Amino acid sequence: MGNFWEHRQVLKDKFDLIQINIGNMCNLTCTHCHIGASPKGDKNMDILTANKIIEKIEKLDIQTIEFTGGTPEMNESFLTFLTRLNKAGKNLVVRTSLTVLNDEKYKHFLEVYKKFNVKVIASLPSVFEDGTTQQRGAGVYDETIVLLKKLNDMGYGKGDLQLDLVYNPVGTYLPAPQAQLQQEYKTILKDKFDVEFNSLATIVNMPIKRFKFDLKKHNLLDEYMDTLKSKYNESTLCNVMCKRVLSIDYQGFIYDCDFNLALETRVKGYENTPFWEIDFNNFKPEISFDSHCYACTVNSGSSCHGEVIPNEKDEEASSCCSETSCSDEKVEEVSSCCVESSCSDDEAKCTEEFDAKDNAKEYYGEVLSSSEDLKTTACCTLDMIPKRVRDTLPYIVDEIKDKYYGCGSPMPLVLENQTMLDLGCGSGRDVYILSKLAGQSGFVHGIDMTENQINVAKKHQEAQTKRFEFCKVNTNFVHDYIENIDKHFEEESIDIVTSNCVINLLEDKRDILRKVFKLLKYGGEFYFSDVYSNRRLPEHIKKDKVLHGECLGGALYANDFVRFAIEAGFTEPRMVTSKEIEITDEKMKKIIGKTKFYSITYRLWKIEDLDSVCEDYGQFAIYKGGIKESELEFQLDSNHLFEINRPEHVCKNTADMLSKTRYKDYFEIIGNTDIHFGEFKGCATLANEYEKESENEKDLSCGCC
């Protein structure tokens, strides 16, 4: 497939914003800067050029004028621009390094901005010091926070004056959704520094100038370009920045955008015509595209003002391009909405040369670039992400989250001081979440077969330790197959083992269950989510590469799993949640037929002398409270809900799960095992049954009130 701009003509039919790049002088030398600005910048606008631009703008019906650079404050013409254009009634915007305003020579601009109601846009690539330092230099983070507080005191971000921030990834990954990052920024800056701002713009790093040089230096340019191209979104073309922005350089020549300006690619047909000599009454030049433009057309799009599509799944967005942006010549349409199975019609071919280890390694190491590339939700935990996890996620380094291929976090309660192991940890997201919840005295190991994933996890150990305000690292990462856990961990050394949709990728599920049982201390548990089926799968499903990579091909028949778990030593597996996985793709539905798949979270306890079935010894359990996020009630499993201070008749196994594990301090067990009253029929708590009845009543309501 060719480049997106081939066989089409996109016109700058109207622009409503003039962006003036006043020069490449800046007090900082940032690694991502597409202009290559620095304190030694020598391409700066003179006052003669500035006056000609001002005179032309005064005659145009364009209301918003934006200044960028470099940092505009260091240019001698900047104050003239602000004074005259404010008098002309224009809306003024400045993109500033911010830290330049700490300099005695430029600090007066703070009052100028307030006087002229200038909108301030400042770069802050991370709400944490490590990320900002990596991109903008030592000391910049602290200076930025000081100035943000000063701006807040002046009414910026907290009053009528507009203060926006800009996010650039500190690496080769793409930004998370803008709304998500904005909420994280607002929460953390408010909590840590009482700093407020209006909005956050996420910008994809542009593979030009300084950032491109760095990519080449580390042999990452091809990989980065492949990522951009693979995430190309046709719908973004309707709203790309170059359609509505006109950029002017320090000499007065015009460009489709600031990125083309950096590459000295002037507007077609106006290469030698300065801004003040152009007749804009019939101004519809063709926009110039090149490979760097893929950075503006990925996912929800990117621009100097952030995403260009509020919701990238908005189907209406793509329809406008054919009428307003492109020529009549049709563009080849490539559909990726269907999942292509790796099987041909001859199912026998699909069973040849299939290796589960190699397929999983290839799928998660090469085929996927982020969790968004998953073609189904089968690999996802369908439980709602608990608050303790949501509150921790903003503290996880962006690259770790970007390279995380799961979409859930199966994590039990009461993790303080525990030693844990996450199977198939990938980039380490869940390991770090667990480590935060375990606290400084807890410790979390992660093991994964994919080297580039483990390298990402290891890379950020020190940064995560600092973000959690721990004194020492409490994580460890192992690059190896999960099947080899017994080579890295001693028997009875782990309190909790977790995994999310990993066991189904392994061929010998019996073996891994036996090994996990041996690693666990007595009173420990294996708490994990996985995919199960309602029947044993035929070979053509098991060995389909896509179905296997998507966690369906390796799904274990639910009854077989229970049997294997018991054989391994987990006497009574307890189901926590279960939900059927909806398969919507027609090709996939045809392959799997009548088979149903379920996402199930289990907890398997290593406790001595559990009964094979629930037995009644007349025991009662009382939840005393005290567990965070479960102050009023505690859910042990799908059948056992404990309301605080309410005695519940329980079987011996349940009593042991509450009294011989880390939950023992939160429960009072009344009675012993001296007298046996027979089998415990219908093992469940009354609180749980009442909860189910209440939910059923809600489902049966007519909904008309």
Side-chain angles (χ1 to χ4, degrees), residues 303-519:
S303 74
C304 291
H305 306 94
E307 293 178 349
V308 300
I309 301 177
N311 179 3
E312 66 171 301
K313 296 181 180 179
D314 186 353
E315 296 178 358
E316 296 179 2
S318 61
S319 63
C320 65
C321 294
S322 59
E323 298 177 5
T324 63
S325 302
C326 309
S327 66
D328 292 333
E329 187 172 1
K330 289 187 177 180
V331 184
E332 179 184 2
E333 183 177 341
V334 180
S335 173
S336 61
C337 61
C338 296
V339 178
E340 294 293 339
S341 169
S342 56
C343 290
S344 66
D345 292 335
D346 183 3
E347 292 176 355
K349 292 181 181 179
C350 193
T351 64
E352 297 175 1
E353 300 181 359
F354 178 86
D355 184 277
K357 281 185 181 179
D358 290 344
N359 187 67
K361 191 172 185 177
E362 178 185 359
Y363 203 75
Y364 288 87
E366 300 175 21
V367 176
L368 301 182
S369 60
S370 75
S371 58
E372 293 179 357
D373 294 331
L374 290 167
K375 295 176 174 63
T376 73
T377 60
C379 294
C380 303
T381 302
L382 299 177
D383 309 336
M384 187 186 339
I385 297 177
K387 184 178 183 300
R388 64 188 184 280
V389 175
R390 292 199 308 273
D391 290 346
T392 304
L393 278 171
Y395 290 82
I396 305 299
V397 172
D398 292 337
E399 185 178 14
I400 293 172
K401 291 184 285 190
D402 179 73
K403 300 297 183 183
Y404 173 73
Y405 299 154
C407 27
S409 299
M411 296 182 187
L413 291 166
V414 187
L415 302 179
E416 295 85 353
N417 308 322
Q418 302 294 300
T419 299
M420 291 173 272
L421 168 63
D422 186 37
L423 305 180
C425 66
S427 63
R429 192 197 77 163
D430 286 356
V431 167
Y432 284 119
I433 294 174
L434 289 167
S435 76
K436 177 66 165 64
L437 299 176
Q440 180 65 88
S441 57
F443 200 92
V444 188
H445 303 275
I447 184 170
D448 198 276
M449 65 181 172
T450 312
E451 185 175 11
N452 58 358
Q453 291 279 84
I454 283 292
N455 288 341
V456 170
K458 289 181 176 180
K459 174 181 175 183
H460 298 291
Q461 281 181 287
E462 291 292 340
Q464 286 296 163
T465 301
K466 190 172 183 179
R467 288 189 180 192
F468 294 156
E469 298 181 356
F470 290 164
C471 298
K472 59 182 180 180
V473 172
N474 68 340
T475 57
N476 171 57
F477 295 96
V478 177
H479 174 222
D480 201 351
Y481 291 103
I482 293 170
E483 293 91 335
N484 295 330
I485 53 175
D486 55 327
K487 297 179 181 179
H488 301 281
F489 306 100
E490 296 180 0
E491 292 185 8
E492 298 182 23
S493 64
I494 305 294
D495 295 302
I496 304 169
V497 177
T498 64
S499 77
N500 181 24
C501 213
V502 169
I503 303 303
N504 75 84
L505 296 174
L506 308 181
E507 286 188 285
D508 194 342
K509 297 171 176 61
R510 274 190 173 102
D511 180 63
I512 194 64
L513 287 169
R514 285 193 294 264
K515 288 179 178 178
V516 168
F517 184 84
K518 290 180 179 180
L519 292 186

